[in-house]
Amino acid sequence: MNQFKDLSQNLATHLGQLQGKKIFIFGDVGIDEYVNGTVSRISPEAPVPVVEVEETSKKLGLSGNVAANVKSLGGEPLLFSLVGADQNAENLSGLLSKKGISTKNLMVDSSRKTTTKLRVMSGQHHVVRVDYENKNQVEEKTLKSYADSIEDGVSSCDALIIQDYAKGQISAQSCQWVIKKKKKHN
């Protein structure tokens, strides 16, 4: 039991060190959308449940959630990610702004969709999940076209988080490229 107490105290000490630190987050970003309702019948069109919608909500997902966690712990997240030229990118920007997280490093790639995971729920049960995403590997030339933004972010940050959700932004090459830029700035 003492191990858990020591771990908890150690964790609390280190989390306190995040206060005021700039954390550059390089990773896939998206929205977690929820449709909650009740199921009281099966559809006559197909053997699937009919969800009567009671509420909907949107939350930061993927690296957006990581940025929100950094912010909630007193750090300053510098989130770098690619989004599509779509309504979900606008929704994502709004969610980030509400949390006080800068959107200046969300780079638009019109060939991509902004990742959105729609979960239809009934109580605690998933009825279905619908993913809007593009998992194609981002071309290195696309990332390099944002080299100045990445350079600015990593040069002024205290730490770097690379968060891969297999949506195409992160590769061995892009990781090494960002790490080299950070090492250049100690």
Side-chain angles (χ1 to χ4, degrees):
M1 195 61 122
N2 283 339
Q3 290 175 330
F4 293 115
K5 185 178 177 185
D6 292 344
L7 179 62
S8 177
Q9 289 173 343
N10 193 15
L11 183 60
T13 299
H14 289 294
L15 289 177
Q17 294 174 349
L18 192 57
Q19 193 72 32
K21 302 290 187 203
K22 291 182 180 181
I23 312 299
F24 189 83
I25 303 164
F26 179 71
D28 304 305
V29 71
I31 297 172
D32 288 331
E33 186 171 0
Y34 295 88
V35 174
N36 293 298
T38 56
V39 174
S40 59
R41 64 190 174 101
I42 301 298
S43 172
E45 301 162 346
V48 296
V50 174
V51 177
E52 295 177 25
V53 177
E54 295 168 354
E55 69 176 334
T56 61
S57 63
K58 294 179 180 166
K59 299 177 182 180
L60 291 171
L62 309 168
S63 290
N65 186 44
V66 174
N69 289 333
V70 166
K71 183 75 173 181
S72 73
L73 294 169
E76 182 184 341
L78 307 173
L79 177 63
F80 179 89
S81 192
L82 296 176
V83 296
D86 53 26
Q87 182 62 48
N88 286 330
E90 291 179 31
N91 294 341
L92 178 68
S93 290
L95 291 169
L96 288 165
S97 294
K98 282 182 186 176
K99 296 277 187 183
I101 299 169
S102 173
T103 60
K104 76 175 188 172
N105 290 319
L106 290 182
M107 305 301 161
V108 177
D109 181 347
S110 59
S111 71
R112 303 184 71 78
K113 294 177 188 173
T114 302
T115 299
T116 302
K117 296 179 179 301
L118 170 65
R119 293 167 179 88
V120 179
M121 309 286 292
S122 178
Q124 296 298 314
H125 302 284
H126 270 92
V127 176
V128 68
R129 187 173 102 180
V130 180
D131 290 355
Y132 301 88
E133 61 187 6
N134 179 334
K135 294 186 197 178
N136 296 338
Q137 193 66 47
V138 174
E139 293 183 26
E140 195 169 339
K141 70 178 183 178
T142 300
L143 286 176
K144 287 188 176 179
S145 69
Y146 300 115
D148 290 342
S149 295
I150 292 172
E151 186 87 30
D152 288 346
V154 297
S155 69
S156 66
C157 73
D158 298 296
L160 168 65
I161 295 174
I162 298 175
Q163 192 69 47
D164 185 10
Y165 289 96
K167 304 301 176 211
Q169 181 173 318
I170 306 299
S171 66
Q173 294 83 7
S174 66
C175 284
Q176 290 306 310
W177 186 68
V178 171
I179 290 168
K180 281 180 188 175
K181 289 199 170 294
K182 180 60 188 153
K183 283 183 177 180
K184 176 179 161 185
H185 298 284
N186 295 321

